[in-house]
Amino acid sequence: YNSIKPAWFTNTSEFWTKMKECGVTTGALARAAAGGWEFFNGDVNQYYNKLHREEKSQRHPTNVETFAVHRWLGPKHSTVEQYVVVRDAVRGAHPSADAAGFRVFDAGCGLGAGLSWFETHEPRWELVGHTISEEQWRFIQNELPAHNFKTFLKSFDEPDGTFDAIYGIEAFIHSPDGTKTLQAWYNALQPGGVIAILDDFLADGVDRAAEEVELFAKSWLGNTLLTVAQMTQLASTVGLGLVQDRDIGKEYRVAEVNYQNTVPDIAIDGAKTHQGWMGAKLRHRLTVRGSLTYRLLVFTKSKTPKHNAKYPK
């Protein structure tokens, strides 16, 4: 069934019909397809558009905590802790982070929460963000308070100009081509530039083709799901050197504090049929079981790039 991808089908009825035609009627993937989950044809734009429409009533433009599009951390359920982590990483890796005009690119800026937080806490930084979600971009343009940061409705593979730092929070995993993305970010970095990626990574020794891992990747649109070693090797091929590997999941006890060390069933809760909610349940399961690890990886730009980058085996 690995050739059958839920994201190819815009409705579960069509997907489940195809599954049955191919003889796949058992297992987690089949159960998910039969369970009424809504898939979005691999379209990250529509994926996030629908999520925003469903959650919009909970977003308050003057409260960054309410429109940060990622998991919370710590006993206070903070959704801005990731920004503290990224800021500390950038400041620790770049000697000019205090300089006026220090340019920072938010690769996958969501609803602008990170940009809003950094504008308040790092007013000397010049901030730019990209999202490919039309709904997210409209929220930033029309509903956020007046701000100086700039956002564009563009792929994060197309940075505007050059930057001293690039960060992505739970965004890089969506890249359809991790090599292309890292190469684009490398090209946009000034010498000595920093890239900070905070995301889910596959734990060492976990089978990428395992049923639940595959289903997580499909439902979460986790197109680039790698181990830390694979990610480090991939970054090296484009000329990026790893300078920090911080296990945020372990440090903040995500399995215990966020998930109480429980393993949820993959079933629809009420009206939450969006494939992302399935992905969230699977991320929960895989994190508790130790198959996924939530980490901050920080890279700096090497002087001499390597060529012919390929995914590591």
Side-chain angles (χ1 to χ4, degrees):
Y1 66 76
N2 286 335
S3 63
I4 306 171
K5 301 180 186 292
W8 289 355
F9 304 97
T10 55
N11 64 77
T12 52
S13 176
E14 180 185 357
F15 174 63
W16 182 232
T17 297
K18 187 66 175 178
M19 292 281 283
K20 289 190 288 186
E21 288 176 357
C22 294
V24 182
T25 57
T26 60
L29 191 61
R31 291 194 302 274
W37 292 99
E38 180 182 12
F39 294 95
F40 292 90
N41 201 30
D43 189 330
V44 179
N45 174 29
Q46 294 304 322
Y47 177 100
Y48 278 108
N49 285 349
K50 180 67 180 296
L51 272 180
H52 178 60
R53 289 193 294 268
E54 290 180 352
E55 299 288 295
K56 188 174 181 180
S57 64
Q58 301 175 34
R59 314 296 190 194
H60 303 290
T62 59
N63 183 353
V64 171
E65 290 264 6
T66 69
F67 59 93
V69 189
H70 47 249
R71 65 159 38 110
W72 53 264
L73 290 175
K76 295 183 179 180
H77 294 198
S78 172
T79 56
V80 301
E81 191 67 21
Q82 283 90 341
Y83 310 139
V84 177
V85 167
V86 168
R87 178 187 61 182
D88 291 348
V90 171
R91 283 186 160 276
H94 203 299
S96 300
D98 275 328
F102 186 79
R103 282 178 52 83
V104 179
F105 177 52
D106 185 333
C109 67
L111 296 166
L115 294 167
S116 299
W117 190 90
F118 283 116
E119 184 160 293
T120 298
H121 293 83
E122 294 289 348
R124 295 167 70 84
W125 289 6
E126 183 179 326
L127 299 159
V128 178
H130 284 192
T131 175
I132 61 171
S133 165
E134 296 157 348
E135 295 280 355
Q136 290 182 340
W137 188 75
R138 280 194 287 267
F139 177 85
I140 294 170
Q141 299 303 308
N142 302 329
E143 301 192 42
L144 289 189
H147 50 266
N148 294 319
F149 61 79
K150 297 179 181 179
T151 57
F152 298 92
L153 185 61
K154 294 175 65 175
S155 166
F156 57 37
D157 286 347
E158 303 170 6
D160 295 277
T162 58
F163 296 90
D164 300 293
I166 296 172
Y167 70 89
I169 299 174
E170 298 184 19
F172 179 81
I173 196 171
H174 295 317
S175 172
D177 186 336
T179 301
K180 177 182 177 181
T181 297
L182 286 181
Q183 187 67 68
W185 295 359
Y186 176 93
N187 292 341
L189 275 183
Q190 293 278 15
V194 176
I195 293 176
I197 298 174
L198 180 53
D199 222 320
D200 293 286
F201 293 90
L202 203 61
D204 290 336
V206 174
D207 182 3
R208 175 60 179 80
E211 186 176 49
E212 283 200 352
V213 174
E214 182 72 6
L215 185 54
F216 163 72
K218 288 175 168 65
S219 58
W220 197 249
L221 294 187
N223 302 306
T224 300
L225 179 58
L226 303 173
T227 65
V228 171
Q230 289 172 327
M231 182 69 182
T232 302
Q233 184 181 341
L234 180 60
S236 177
T237 65
V238 301
L240 295 168
L242 182 71
V243 295
Q244 184 179 15
D245 172 11
R246 185 174 171 187
D247 191 339
I248 300 299
K250 183 177 181 180
E251 184 177 331
Y252 284 85
R253 298 164 46 229
V254 167
E256 178 182 351
V257 176
N258 293 56
Y259 300 142
Q260 295 77 53
N261 287 318
T262 61
V263 178
D265 184 30
I266 308 172
I268 291 174
D269 294 329
K272 292 186 174 181
T273 61
H274 189 292
Q275 70 177 77
W277 295 115
M278 181 204 293
K281 286 174 175 287
L282 285 158
R283 181 166 77 154
H284 178 157
R285 290 168 69 95
L286 293 169
T287 298
V288 170
R289 289 174 172 167
S291 298
L292 285 180
T293 177
Y294 191 57
R295 304 180 93 91
L296 172 73
L297 302 184
V298 183
F299 302 92
T300 56
K301 183 172 182 174
S302 303
K303 292 183 179 179
T304 305
K306 298 181 181 181
H307 300 287
N308 299 320
K310 296 179 181 179
Y311 277 110
K313 298 298 184 181

